[in-house]
Amino acid sequence: MRRHHDDEVPEDEIHEHDRGLSYDLPVLARRRMIRLMAGVGAGLVPLVGCTADDTSSPSASSAGSAGSAECVTVPEETAGPYPGDGSNGVNVLKESGVVRGDITRSFGGSAGGTAEGIPLTFTLTVVDAASGCGTPKRGAAVYVWHCDREGGYSLYTEGVADENYLRGVQETDDRGEVTFTSVFPGCYPGRWPHIHFEVYGSLQDATSATAITSTSQLALPKDVCDTVYATEGYESSVDNLGRLSLESDSVFRDGHDQQLAVVKGSVAEGYTATLTIAV
């Protein structure tokens, strides 16, 4: 059965497409229980991501590293109400043109918009957890999607429902990597800035929207968000982010070390983000 739970927002700021925390509680409760059990028995498999031994730098340890001593699968998260994968209405995965690296523009049909914002190029490295994170998952596929600068989701949000930008699929290369060219997402009420992703066993699985291996989310660091949101076009994100923290976010509050991307760059030159995910 496909998941299509919603992202949580405060009751006084609920969007019309949000359905409430009750949809997410089973996932959150399951993750907390697994974390507790992981601390008791080393033989259990905790539901977190690859981490490095060096914890001197929060950013470095957050992304994980292939072949590190501690390797477990990335946390399962809600796909939210705007997946576009057929689990909640429209299915962009079966459309010609969805396999692409540059997701800033809409494709196909009458859609022709381009998402505006500070450039962001992000690379996800998919590794095999069973191998201790030392083996890249070559030939897997990753579908990504996120909101635009104003916090809207293509295919769903009024004003951009006819667009399909900021969505795309790629097959992992020999290093298990996929790289997407995009824009820095905004921060809408009730959710920490994030990027959704689904991992599939193959490109064929992804483009037929079947057999998801993992569904999770990438979190963006606060210092970078603060810098980006001080620029033109991100005005609404400033107040929204000011009401949030990673510790209070409905998805990341029970642990985000394995989902917090390493981000480098500048407003003038754009940013790059990296994250290693074990499946």
Side-chain angles (χ1 to χ4, degrees):
M1 180 178 296
R2 299 295 302 282
R3 291 180 301 276
H4 52 275
H5 301 303
D6 297 346
D7 295 351
E8 182 194 1
V9 296
E11 289 187 6
D12 59 344
E13 297 179 301
I14 293 177
H15 291 178
E16 62 176 303
H17 294 293
D18 289 335
R19 302 177 185 172
L21 179 58
S22 60
Y23 281 79
D24 290 338
L25 285 176
V27 173
L28 297 175
R30 181 168 65 253
R31 288 177 58 199
R32 292 192 184 97
M33 180 59 70
I34 292 173
R35 285 175 184 271
L36 288 173
M37 294 176 68
V40 176
L44 298 178
V45 180
L47 194 64
V48 290
C50 283
T51 58
D53 291 333
D54 181 8
T55 57
S56 60
S57 169
S59 294
S61 63
S62 68
S65 63
S68 62
E70 183 183 358
C71 175
V72 283
T73 54
V74 69
E76 283 291 310
E77 304 289 10
T78 171
Y82 316 108
D85 62 0
S87 63
N88 186 23
V90 64
N91 190 343
V92 74
L93 292 173
K94 294 185 177 182
E95 295 185 16
S96 175
V98 71
V99 180
R100 60 198 186 131
D102 186 342
I103 62 174
T104 57
R105 299 178 177 84
S106 290
F107 63 92
S110 60
T114 299
E116 301 295 334
I118 300 299
L120 173 67
T121 299
F122 59 97
T123 298
L124 302 178
T125 302
V126 184
V127 295
D128 182 17
S131 72
C133 289
T135 303
K137 294 283 283 188
R138 176 186 179 186
V142 183
Y143 166 46
V144 301
W145 72 98
H146 64 82
C147 72
D148 60 20
R149 182 172 62 180
E150 289 76 28
Y153 282 86
S154 67
L155 302 177
Y156 293 91
T157 304
E158 183 178 358
V160 294
D162 292 332
E163 302 293 345
N164 54 24
Y165 54 50
L166 306 184
R167 300 177 183 273
V169 178
Q170 282 197 72
E171 183 178 37
T172 57
D173 61 18
D174 289 345
R175 295 172 295 183
E177 294 182 357
V178 290
T179 298
F180 294 91
T181 301
S182 190
V183 297
F184 205 94
C187 178
Y188 55 85
R191 279 305 320 277
W192 189 261
H194 61 283
I195 296 173
H196 292 268
F197 61 86
E198 291 175 343
V199 180
Y200 292 80
S202 68
L203 188 60
Q204 182 177 353
D205 285 346
T207 54
S208 60
T210 59
I212 296 175
T213 300
S214 180
T215 301
S216 196
Q217 298 180 25
L218 172 156
L220 293 163
K222 184 180 187 303
D223 58 343
V224 180
C225 292
D226 285 336
T227 300
V228 172
Y229 295 163
T231 65
E232 184 178 359
Y234 287 94
E235 289 82 3
S236 64
S237 293
V238 176
D239 289 339
N240 292 334
L241 186 66
R243 301 187 184 99
L244 298 166
S245 71
L246 279 163
E247 289 69 28
S248 67
D249 181 73
S250 61
V251 168
F252 300 122
R253 64 188 175 193
D254 63 340
H256 55 264
D257 288 349
Q258 287 74 41
Q259 295 159 284
L260 187 61
V262 173
V263 180
K264 300 178 180 180
S266 65
V267 167
E269 297 182 1
Y271 289 88
T272 61
T274 57
L275 184 70
T276 297
I277 53 179
V279 298

